[in-house]
Structures are given as C-alpha cells and as structure tokens.
C-alpha cells in the first residue's frame, strides 16, 4: 500500500500525519522537534520510522508493538560524505545513499542499533528507487548519464550492469547533464524499464520529444529497446497504469497512452506512436471540508495538470496545493469508439487487467452494428481470442501433467497458470454473445450461421475441443429457419462433431424433421455408446418414446426394465404418453408370457394402480382365453 508521510513543526514538537489511499490507513502522532525534517519514511508495514534531519545521520523510532517507543540515531560511516537520502528495502533493512556511495544496513529494533551489511564507494549525483523490484538507480559521472543499478533481496545487495543514457546532441561548447526529473523506473509486462524523457533538440531536427525505454534485466546488459514518439514539446510527466505508459502533457492538458506490446519495428528498436488520440484525465470534483466550507457549497472542480502536481511510479498523482493523492486508472469502454480497427482493439484489450466484459461487448457490437456482414473482421477477432484461450489451456495441461507425475525437481518449478480476464472461453462466448446474437431480429440467418461456423472453425484451428452446446446452437438456428438440407450436409460431412447431447437433440427433432431420428442413431452408433447408456440419456431428456424406438431398433426391447420406462413416462405428466408406454409393456408381457400382467419382481404395482385410477380397470388388457 502506498502511503505518504507529512511532518509539521509547531512549538517544540513535530506533528506527523501518515496518509494512504483511504482513511483507514491514516496514522497521526507527535515527536520531538530536533530540527527541520529533510526526509521521513516508514519501513514496510509501518514498523520503523526513519527521519533524516541532517546530511550526516538518520534517526529511527520503533513502532513495533511491545518495543520501546524510543528514538535512536545512526551516522553514515563514510567520512566527509553527505547523505542524499535513504530507502527502505524491507521492514528492517535500509540503504543510505551518500554523495560518495551507498551503505546497506540491517536495523535491529530491540538493540536500537544498525548493522552494516555491505557498502559500495561510487560518486553519486542523485538516486532513484523502485520499491516494486527493490532496485536502486545511482546517477554517476559529470554529466550524470551513466547509471549504476543495485538490486536488494533478503539482506543481500547485488551490483547490476551499469549503462549509459544517450543524451541529445547540443551545439558546442554547451553540455547537457541528465536530470532525475527526466528519469522514471517502472515495471511493464513484468520487466523492469528505465524511462528517459528525451526533450526536443533543435540540433537533431526531431519533430518533438521522446520517451526512450531501457530494458534493465537482473542479469546481463541494459539495452535501449523502445522509443515512444510524443510528437510535441513542453513539460511532461510519466505514469505506468495496467502496463501502459501514460505521458501527461501540461500545456495541452492531455495524456498520451502507449502500449509497448503493440509494436512497429524500426530496425532493432521498437518505435511507438500513441495507441489512442490524446485524452484528458477525467474531471474530478472536490467536496470542500473544514470551517470555511458552507454546508450547501457545491463541489469544486480539481485543477487538472497543475504545476503543483507530483507524479510517483507507477500510478500515483499528488496535488500538493489541494492536498490530494490519486491513483490513475484507465477506462476501457471508451476505447471502443477511439480505436476503430477491431484487430488492434483486441490486441490492446487482451492485455488489460479488467478486459473480459469490454471484449464481450466488442464482440456483440461487431456482430450487430457497423461490421455486420464483414466475416474477415469477425474471423480475426475470434482467432485472437482463441489464441489466448489455447495458450491458457496448454499451460493448464502442462501443469496438470507435471502434478500427476508426482513430486520431482521439475514439477516444483511449475506454478498453476493464472486465468486472467483475457481468457474468453466457449461458455463466455455462448452466454454473453452468440446465444443473444442468434435471437436478434433483423440479422440475416445466413450471416448468423456463418458467424457460428466461423467461431467453430477458429476453435478447430487452435485444436480446442468444441463444446456440444455450440453445435446445439447451430442446429437450433438451422431448424428455426427450416434449413434442414444444410443440417443434413453438416452432419453428413461431420462439420458438427458427434456427441451424445447432439444425438439427443436430433432425436427430439424427429417430429419436425423425420430423418433426424436415423441421423441421431447413426451418430450414437459411431460413438460406440452402450445401448443402456443411450437409453439413460434419452430418458433423462424425457425422450421416452424416442428411447423406446431406439431400443426396438437395436432389438433389445424384450430385456428392458418396464418400471424404468413407466417412471420416466409418469414424470412427464403426459397421461397419453403413459398410456402408450404402459400398453407397449402389456403387449410385450402377453407376447413373452401369454399374460399382460407384470411379474412381482418388476415392481410395477404403483404404476398399475395409477393406470386403473386414470383410465379405469376395464382399460387393462385382458388375458387371452383359449
């Protein structure tokens, strides 16, 4: 959780307020006034407070329960060095950054002292710390453009490969130096990047400023990998939101959004233009509080792109003049109108955190609005969705196989794949898009069927087993529009894959399309399904007559349980159906035993009583007399 610590001096004591994104995380306390506070920070979990008042030492106060709430101080060990600042790398580990190097300490709160873990001598101009990755960046050399990174993890400090930021050319004898205002460090797509805001230079005839991204791996050399073209000049600030680089431009009061995964290759570098037209941050109104605020006073609009704004990575904006801390968020729904190319729009949305419902709404709109009839666009979108779906299914399969093979060195390294919102499965498409689409009025049935078949084609292309309910949707749509010849062709040429639910659906269509009965039986036989199982499936679908016809077609009607069929007939609440089934078994009994009655072992007494109640005793078949 991001928190900011504010200190106010007054009458021999310093009041401290710790503010977070909500009131629950706020803390307030007082401490002795020992001079001006240059820097004040809590360690992770608000356990230890560190306060820098001079360039020589840092003071510490325990906030751990049951520990003495006393202040203790520690001086930097390097003589004549000035402390530029400090960074907490864990709840009890801190690094002092001086103009002559860094000193990495472990804080021992019970002993109220610090233990030196490691130090490194290096001339430092300024520093920048990334808490997400615990990487510290030091600016060295006269121009400040050689950066030396260090990584911290559980009491260890590792020196990473240093690298140089290429500064723009300027006419001699002038020399540029790298300012920390033009550098930001952030994680984008799980990779650490150093972002350099390269201002417009007349000497290079560049059309505007650029943001140059340097990829900083844990091991290996740092390389310049991406250039974001801003196409304008002025004052800028950087944020990273949902793996998007957001560049705020003060004079135009707008922000540019870049996605480094949407690439346009320019040699070895990826050169990027904004994904969307420049957009302004959504206006925000502040409710005034305090003694000066009238109860009926209307909320006041917040000043956007103010010169008093301070931007922190990855997604924080603080307005010093108004005393507000904001998290920046990206609204995905408006991108539907801003990004007309459906392929690019899908590429953009599939990489966003909360994308599922927006993607599904894109699919629905695509099928019923402007792109109606454009199957190539539909195919492109389905393929992009199913590629992500297939990658997830494959990862899940690999993980399952590794777990089933038992514990081993390799299986311990497997993590269960995370199902992100970008995984749009067949159930999602069926529920939110396709089932509604088939019911839409004013859409040509040929296009509806073409879309359904296009989705099935895409699933097959990625070798994803098609769920039976999609085939059922195709069949219902064909039947609804009396396209039986097409249904017959789809089944004949196995466009619709065989399955038991599909065979049952075909059986239910017999009254509308008589050949469906034989088509369903052929399908069940191809599936090599056991006859008993087929009967169970049909009865569960209340296809009692269909089950009886099937069992007669395979010559097994003399051995079936009468009670099972009579139970199923009763459950339909159709008395004439019950009569037909009851009469069939009476006739079977007569043919096999010469008596229409049921044997005691068949347990049909309840059904005989019900038959008498509804149709009367005289309706029972009489035993044939010699």
């Amino acid at each position: 959780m991001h928190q900011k610590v504010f200190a106010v001096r007054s009458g021999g004591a310093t009041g401290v307020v710790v503010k977070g994104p909500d009131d629950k995380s706020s803390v307030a306390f007082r401490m002795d006034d020992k001079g001006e506070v240059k820097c004040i920070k809590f360690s992770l979990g608000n356990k230890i407070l560190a306060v820098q008042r001079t360039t020589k030492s840092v003071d510490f106060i325990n906030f751990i329960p049951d520990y003495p709430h006393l202040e203790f101080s520690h001086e930097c060990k390097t003589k004549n060095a000035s402390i530029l600042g400090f960074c907490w790398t864990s709840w009890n580990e801190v690094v002092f950054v001086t103009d002559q190097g860094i000193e990495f300490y472990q804080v021992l709160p019970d002993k109220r002292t610090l233990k030196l873990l490691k130090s490194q001598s290096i001339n430092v101009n300024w520093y920048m710390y990334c808490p997400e990755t615990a990487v510290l960046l030091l600016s060295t050399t006269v121009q400040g453009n050689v950066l030396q990174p260090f990584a911290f993890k559980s009491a260890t400090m590792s020196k990473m490969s240093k690298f140089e930021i290429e500064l723009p050319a300027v006419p001699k004898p002038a020399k540029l130096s790298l300012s920390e205002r033009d550098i930001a460090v952030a994680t984008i797509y799980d990779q650490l990047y150093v972002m350099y805001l390269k201002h417009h230079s007349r000497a290079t005839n560049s059309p505007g400023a650029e943001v140059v991204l340097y990829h900083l791996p844990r091991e290996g050399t740092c390389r310049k990998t991406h250039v974001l073209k801003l196409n304008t000049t002025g004052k800028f600030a950087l944020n990273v939101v949902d793996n998007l680089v957001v560049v705020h431009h003060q004079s135009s009061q707008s922000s540019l959004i870049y996605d480094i995964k949407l690439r346009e290759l320019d040699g070895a570098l990826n050169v990027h233009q904004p994904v969307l037209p420049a957009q302004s941050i959504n206006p925000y109104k502040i409710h005034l509080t305090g003694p000066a605020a009238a109860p009926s006073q209307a909320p006041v609009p917040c000043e956007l792109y103010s010169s008093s704004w301070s931007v922190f990575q990855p997604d924080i904006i603080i307005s010093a003049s108004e005393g507000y801390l904001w998290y920046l968020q990206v609204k995905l729904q408006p991108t539907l109108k801003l990004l007309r190319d459906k392929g690019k729009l899908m590429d953009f949305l599939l990489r966003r955190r909360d994308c599922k419902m927006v993607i599904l709404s894109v699919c629905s709109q695509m099928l019923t609005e402007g792109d109606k009839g454009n199957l190539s666009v539909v195919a492109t979108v389905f393929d992009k969705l199913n590629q992500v779906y297939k990658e997830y299914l494959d990862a899940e399969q690999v993980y399952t196989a590794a777990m089933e093979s038992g514990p081993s060195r390799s299986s311990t390294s497997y993590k269960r794949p995370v199902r992100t919102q970008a995984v749009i499965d067949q159930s999602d498409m069926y529920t939110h898009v396709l089932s509604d689409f088939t019911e839409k009025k004013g859409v040509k049935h040929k296009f509806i069927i073409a879309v359904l078949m296009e989705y099935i084609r895409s699933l097959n292309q990625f070798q994803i087993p098609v769920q039976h309910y999609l085939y059922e949707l195709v069949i219902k749509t064909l039947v609804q529009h009396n396209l039986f010849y097409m249904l017959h062709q789809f089944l004949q040429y196995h466009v619709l894959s065989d399955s038991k639910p599909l065979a049952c659906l075909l059986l239910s269509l017999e009254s509308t399309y008589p050949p469906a009965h034989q088509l369903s039986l052929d399908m069940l036989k191809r599936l090599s399904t056991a006859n008993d199982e087929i009967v169970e499936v049909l009865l569960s679908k209340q296809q009692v007559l269909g089950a009886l016809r099937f069992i007669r077609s395979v010559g097994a009607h003399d051995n079936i349980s009468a009670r099972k069929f009579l139970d199923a007939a009763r459950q339909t609440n159709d008395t004439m159906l019950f009569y037909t089934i009851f009469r069939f078994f009476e006739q079977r009994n007569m043919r096999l035993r010469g008596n229409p009655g049921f044997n005691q072992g068949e347990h049909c007494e309840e059904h005989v009583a019900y038959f008498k109640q509804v149709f009367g005793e005289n309706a029972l078949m009489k035993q044939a007399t010699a």
Side-chain angles (χ1 to χ4, degrees):
M1 182 181 289
H2 297 283
Q3 290 183 321
K4 293 297 168 189
V5 187
F6 305 96
V8 181
R9 299 168 68 195
S10 173
T14 303
V16 180
V17 179
V18 185
K19 288 281 189 182
D22 54 58
D23 291 335
K24 292 177 186 175
S25 57
S26 295
V27 181
F29 58 90
R30 298 174 78 79
M31 62 184 186
D32 293 338
D33 186 355
K34 296 181 179 178
E36 183 188 349
V37 173
K38 292 180 180 294
C39 184
I40 181 167
K41 295 177 190 175
F42 262 113
S43 71
L44 299 179
N46 293 357
K47 293 191 175 171
I48 305 168
L49 180 69
V51 185
Q52 184 192 348
R53 296 184 174 97
T54 72
T55 58
K56 297 297 176 187
S57 65
V58 178
D59 301 328
F60 297 88
I61 306 171
N62 284 332
F63 276 77
I64 304 168
D66 303 326
Y67 274 71
H69 191 75
L70 295 171
E71 203 168 305
F72 55 101
S73 186
H74 192 87
E75 287 191 10
C76 67
K77 77 176 190 71
T78 311
K79 288 184 180 179
N80 303 321
S82 294
I83 299 175
L84 301 177
F86 62 90
C87 308
W88 287 104
T89 60
S90 77
W91 78 268
N92 68 337
E93 288 166 13
V94 66
V95 56
F96 289 6
V97 183
T98 75
D99 56 357
Q100 295 180 32
I102 55 174
E103 301 169 13
F104 185 37
Y105 292 100
Q106 185 178 42
V107 182
L108 306 171
D110 51 340
K111 296 178 181 176
R112 287 190 287 142
T113 186
L114 273 68
K115 174 188 171 185
L116 182 67
L117 298 173
K118 200 169 182 181
S119 63
Q120 177 81 41
S121 294
I122 184 172
N123 288 329
V124 181
N125 303 309
W126 49 264
Y127 71 96
M128 191 162 286
Y129 182 64
C130 177
E132 280 182 291
T133 54
V135 169
L136 177 65
L137 212 58
L138 304 178
S139 160
T140 67
T141 70
V142 177
Q143 287 183 281
N145 64 325
V146 175
L147 301 181
Q148 175 62 66
F150 289 87
F152 298 86
K153 190 177 181 181
S154 53
T156 60
M157 179 176 92
S158 311
K159 191 176 184 180
M160 299 164 72
S161 298
K162 69 179 177 183
F163 61 99
E164 185 175 339
I165 299 283
E166 294 176 27
L167 298 174
V170 291
K172 290 181 180 180
K175 277 191 177 181
L176 275 180
S177 61
L178 183 66
S179 165
E180 61 189 296
R181 289 194 304 272
D182 297 333
I183 292 290
V185 185
T187 303
I188 308 169
Y189 292 115
D190 300 319
Q191 298 296 315
L192 185 61
Y193 287 91
V194 175
M195 300 185 286
Y196 166 47
L197 181 54
K198 188 177 181 181
H199 290 282
H200 170 67
S201 169
R202 289 178 186 172
T204 57
N205 293 321
S206 61
E210 300 173 343
V211 176
V212 184
L213 269 61
Y214 291 80
H215 177 223
L216 185 56
R218 287 277 171 176
E219 295 175 5
T221 55
C222 180
R223 292 185 306 107
K224 183 164 80 169
T225 52
H226 300 271
V227 175
L228 316 181
K229 294 284 188 182
L230 305 185
N231 306 316
T232 187
T233 60
K235 286 186 177 179
F236 301 93
L238 303 174
N239 275 128
V240 173
V241 187
D242 202 3
N243 292 312
L244 297 168
V245 180
V246 182
V247 184
H248 308 294
H249 185 225
Q250 191 179 23
S251 59
S252 68
Q253 297 209 343
S254 63
S255 300
L256 300 165
I257 295 175
Y258 298 83
D259 186 346
I260 64 171
K261 284 279 179 85
L262 294 176
R263 53 186 62 180
E264 296 167 33
L265 288 173
D266 180 13
L269 274 181
N270 291 308
V271 178
H272 304 268
Q273 296 292 340
V275 178
L276 307 166
Q279 301 294 307
S280 180
I281 294 171
N282 203 40
Y284 184 84
K285 290 190 175 181
I286 299 167
H287 292 270
L288 294 178
T289 55
S296 60
Q297 198 164 348
V300 177
C302 157
E303 185 188 350
L304 297 177
Y305 302 92
S306 164
S307 56
S308 72
W309 275 14
S310 296
V311 173
F312 295 88
Q313 297 311 319
D315 55 359
I316 294 172
I317 295 172
I318 291 180
S319 173
S321 61
E322 293 162 325
Y324 273 82
L325 179 153
W326 287 285
Y327 282 111
L328 193 65
Q329 294 177 331
V330 174
K331 286 185 173 181
L332 296 180
Q333 196 66 39
T335 60
L336 275 62
K337 292 180 180 176
L338 296 169
L339 203 53
R340 293 291 181 183
D341 183 319
K342 290 291 188 289
K344 278 188 178 176
L345 177 61
M346 276 299 148
D347 288 338
F348 176 79
L349 291 175
L350 282 166
R351 297 189 179 98
R352 307 287 74 84
R353 195 184 300 116
D354 300 317
C355 62
K356 176 167 280 187
M357 296 317 294
V358 182
I359 287 173
L360 292 169
S361 71
V362 170
C363 292
S364 294
Q365 287 179 25
M366 170 183 72
L367 298 178
T368 55
E369 291 179 3
D371 291 304
K372 191 161 62 176
N374 193 342
L375 268 180
S376 63
V377 173
V378 173
T380 300
V381 169
F382 286 165
D383 286 348
K384 286 182 184 294
L385 295 180
N386 287 328
Q387 184 174 353
V388 175
Y389 180 24
K390 175 63 172 172
E391 286 167 3
Y392 170 75
L393 291 175
D394 286 349
E396 186 75 38
Q397 196 173 9
V398 168
Y399 172 80
T400 305
M403 293 303 104
E404 286 174 354
S405 64
S408 66
R409 283 185 181 178
S410 60
S411 68
T412 54
S413 63
Y414 283 102
K415 284 185 180 178
R416 186 176 199 114
V418 177
R419 181 173 181 141
T420 66
Q421 286 206 16
V423 178
I424 309 289
D425 64 18
Q426 296 172 68
S427 172
D428 296 323
M429 284 298 290
Y430 175 83
T431 306
H432 298 283
V433 180
L434 299 176
S435 57
D436 288 342
F437 171 60
T438 58
E439 301 296 324
K440 285 277 181 191
K441 291 180 180 176
V443 182
K444 292 179 180 176
H445 62 261
K446 285 184 180 177
F447 181 61
I448 293 173
I449 292 157
V451 166
L452 294 175
M453 296 315 298
E454 195 57 54
Y455 185 62
I456 289 168
R457 187 271 320 152
S458 180
L459 291 169
N460 286 327
Q461 181 178 312
F462 288 96
Q463 297 177 316
I464 300 170
V466 181
Q467 295 296 318
H468 65 83
Y469 48 76
L470 289 173
Y471 289 137
E472 287 179 18
L473 193 59
V474 173
I475 290 173
K476 284 175 181 173
T477 306
L478 291 169
V479 170
Q480 192 178 344
H481 296 284
N482 295 316
L483 297 170
F484 296 112
Y485 69 95
M486 195 179 282
L487 170 61
H488 210 111
Q489 284 184 319
F490 281 177
L491 292 165
Q492 192 176 353
Y493 296 107
H494 306 295
V495 174
L496 306 176
S497 298
D498 296 346
S499 73
K500 284 184 217 168
L502 210 59
C504 292
L505 178 62
L506 288 170
L507 274 174
S508 70
L509 298 174
E510 186 185 359
S511 58
T512 316
Y513 182 55
H517 179 74
Q518 192 56 48
L519 288 168
S520 71
L521 294 183
D522 293 344
M523 185 179 287
L524 288 166
K525 286 169 186 173
R526 285 196 300 273
L527 288 165
S528 303
T529 311
N531 293 338
D532 290 346
E533 200 176 339
I534 294 170
V535 168
E536 291 293 343
V537 171
L538 293 170
L539 292 179
S540 70
K541 296 267 187 182
Q542 294 197 331
Q543 298 287 327
V544 187
L545 278 177
L548 200 54
R549 285 195 197 98
F550 168 74
I551 213 72
R552 287 185 72 182
S553 71
V554 294
H557 51 292
D558 286 351
N559 304 315
I560 56 172
S561 161
R563 183 181 171 180
K564 181 183 287 187
F565 276 77
L566 292 169
D567 283 346
R570 279 279 296 276
Q571 284 172 8
T572 65
N573 294 319
D574 183 340
T575 53
M576 289 316 297
L577 174 67
F578 181 79
Y579 181 92
T580 304
I581 300 297
F582 192 92
R583 184 67 81 214
F584 168 82
F585 283 106
E586 279 188 318
Q587 289 169 349
R588 184 190 73 167
N589 294 343
M590 179 69 83
R591 180 168 48 81
L592 293 177
R593 299 196 298 268
N595 187 332
F598 294 92
N599 287 339
Q600 196 172 354
E602 292 183 271
H603 305 291
C604 290
E605 294 84 0
E606 178 191 339
H607 295 301
V608 172
Y610 175 75
F611 186 90
K612 287 179 184 177
Q613 179 191 331
V614 176
F615 303 104
E617 192 161 350
N618 291 333
L620 288 170
M621 267 185 80
K622 302 293 186 287
Q623 185 172 350
T625 52

